[in-house]
C-alpha cells in the first residue's frame, strides 16, 4: 500500500514537473513573432538609453538631471525586463483554475512583465510629476499606487487556486490604477498649467493615459483573462504599448529637458541633503 502511494506520488511529480528554462526558451524562439516582440524592445530600450545620454550630455541643472535620470531608469528596467523574458527566466506555464476559458491547461504566462512594471512605472510617474512641477506628496502617492497596482496585477496572473480570485486581484489593481489616472488627469494637469509646462504635459498625459488603459484591456482579453487573444498578440500588444508609454514619452521629455527651460530648472542646491553645502563659499 505504502509502496503504491509513493509510486503514485513519484508519477505525479514526474507528470507535474515544470518546464525547464531551456524548454521555455525554445518555445519562445519557435514562435518568431513572440521572440521578436521581446528582442525589438531590447534594441529600443538600448537605443533610448544612448539617446538620453546624447541629449542629456550638456545638462547642468540638478533638477533637469533628475528628470533625465528618471527617464533613463525606465529603459534600464525595460532592457533588463525584456532580457529576462527572452531568456525564459521570468516566464512560466501556469495551470489555470476551473472556470477559466482554458481551465486545467497550462498557459504561457509572462509574469516577469508585471514584476518589472513595479520598477519601471514609478520612474515614468516621477518624470511626469517633475515635468508638471508637482509636489512630493502627489509624486510619492502615485509611485506607491503604481507599485500596488503592479504587485496585485502579478498576483492576478499567478493565482491558480480560484478563477474568482484572479478577477478579484484584477479589480483591486484597477482601483489602484484609477487613483493614478486621477492624479495625472486632475492634479498634475492643474500643476502643469501653474508651472507653465501645460503644453508638453498635455501631450504626455494623452500618450500616458491612453496607453496605460491598454494594459488592463490586454490582460482581460489575453490568455490570463478571457483568453480571446493568442499569446503572440498579447505580447506584441504589450510591446507596442511599452513603445508609446516608455520610449515615446522619454524622447518627448528629453527633447524638452535638453534645453533646460526655466519652467523645470531650479539651479544649484536642489535636493541637497546638507543645507549648508553650496550655500557658502568657504
Ligand atoms: C494589469 C492587470 C490588472 C489590472 C490593471 C493592470 C494595469 C497595468 C498597467 C501597466 C502599465 C505598465 C507600463 C509599463 C511600462 O514599463 C496589471 C495589467 C489595471 C497600467 C506603463
Amino acid at each position: 500500500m505504502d509502496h503504491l502511494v509513493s509510486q503514485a506520488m513519484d508519477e505525479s511529480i514526474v507528470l507535474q514537473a515544470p518546464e525547464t528554462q531551456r524548454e521555455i526558451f525554445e518555445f519562445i524562439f519557435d514562435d518568431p513573432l513572440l521572440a521578436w516582440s521581446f528582442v525589438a524592445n531590447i534594441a529600443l530600450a538600448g537605443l533610448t538609453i544612448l539617446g538620453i545620454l546624447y541629449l542629456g550630455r550638456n545638462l547642468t541643472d540638478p533638477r533637469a538631471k533628475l528628470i533625465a535620470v528618471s527617464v533613463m531608469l525606465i529603459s534600464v528596467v525595460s532592457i533588463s525586463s525584456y532580457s529576462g523574458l527572452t531568456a525564459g527566466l521570468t516566464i512560466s506555464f501556469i495551470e489555470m483554475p476551473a472556470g477559466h476559458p482554458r481551465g486545467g491547461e497550462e498557459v504561457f504566462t509572462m509574469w516577469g512583465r508585471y514584476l518589472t512594471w513595479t520598477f519601471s512605472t514609478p520612474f515614468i510617474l516621477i518624470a511626469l510629476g517633475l515635468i508638471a512641477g508637482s509636489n512630493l506628496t502627489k509624486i510619492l502617492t502615485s509611485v506607491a499606487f503604481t507599485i500596488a497596482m503592479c504587485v496585485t496585477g502579478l498576483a492576478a496572473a499567478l493565482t491558480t487556486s480560484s478563477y474568482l480570485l484572479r478577477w478579484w486581484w484584477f479589480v483591486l489593481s484597477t482601483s489602484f490604477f484609477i487613483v493614478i489616472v486621477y492624479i495625472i488627469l486632475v492634479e498634475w494637469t492643474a500643476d502643469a498649467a501653474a508651472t507653465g509646462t501645460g503644453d508638453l504635459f498635455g501631450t504626455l498625459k494623452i500618450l500616458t493615459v491612453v496607453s496605460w488603459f491598454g494594459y488592463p484591456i490586454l490582460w482581460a482579453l489575453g490568455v490570463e483573462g478571457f483568453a480571446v487573444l493568442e499569446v503572440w498578440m498579447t505580447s506584441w500588444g504589450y510591446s507596442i504599448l511599452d513603445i508609446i508609454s516608455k520610449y515615446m514619452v522619454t524622447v518627448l521629455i528629453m527633447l524638452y529637458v535638453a534645453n533646460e527651460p526655466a519652467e523645470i530648472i531650479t539651479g544649484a542646491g536642489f535636493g541637497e541633503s546638507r543645507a549648508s553645502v553650496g550655500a557658502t563659499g568657504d
Side-chain angles (χ1 to χ4, degrees), residues 18-215:
E19 292 71 17
T20 64
Q21 204 176 92
R22 179 77 206 175
E23 282 163 349
I24 295 175
F25 179 74
E26 280 164 5
F27 179 95
I28 296 165
F29 279 88
D30 276 346
D31 185 346
L33 277 169
L34 180 63
W36 271 106
S37 72
F38 298 160
V39 176
N41 263 268
I42 294 182
L44 275 173
L47 285 174
T48 307
I49 293 172
L50 296 177
I52 296 166
L53 286 172
Y54 176 75
L55 287 170
R57 69 194 182 286
N58 294 325
L59 291 180
T60 52
D61 183 78
R63 196 167 181 278
K65 285 183 185 171
L66 179 62
I67 299 175
V69 169
S70 300
V71 289
M72 185 180 286
L73 282 164
I74 305 167
S75 288
V76 165
V77 173
S78 191
I79 201 165
S80 316
S81 168
Y82 278 103
S83 301
L85 293 171
T86 309
L89 173 68
T90 52
I91 295 178
S92 307
F93 281 86
I94 295 190
E95 191 182 316
M96 290 298 130
H100 184 276
R102 293 177 59 179
E105 266 180 65
E106 297 219 330
V107 164
F108 180 89
T109 303
M110 297 173 279
W111 55 266
R113 286 191 184 272
Y114 316 119
L115 177 71
T116 53
W117 292 344
T118 312
F119 307 106
S120 60
T121 55
F123 293 111
I124 301 178
L125 293 169
I126 291 171
L128 290 179
L130 289 171
I131 293 284
S134 186
N135 62 31
L136 201 57
T137 304
K138 292 180 203 172
I139 295 178
L140 286 184
T141 305
S142 73
V143 166
F145 274 92
T146 196
I147 293 174
M149 174 188 81
C150 297
V151 173
T152 46
L154 176 66
L158 295 183
T159 294
T160 54
S161 54
S162 144
Y163 186 50
L164 181 68
L165 275 175
R166 286 177 72 85
W167 284 107
W168 169 241
W169 286 121
F170 184 92
V171 169
L172 273 183
S173 180
T174 304
S175 57
F176 303 147
F177 177 49
I178 300 300
V179 177
I180 301 164
V181 173
Y182 171 81
I183 293 177
I184 296 177
L185 290 185
V186 180
E187 299 290 339
W188 288 353
T189 300
D191 292 338
T195 307
T197 50
D199 280 353
L200 171 69
F201 190 80
T203 313
L204 296 173
K205 168 174 88 176
I206 292 168
L207 289 176
T208 303
V209 172
V210 171
S211 63
W212 284 43
F213 264 102
Y215 291 85

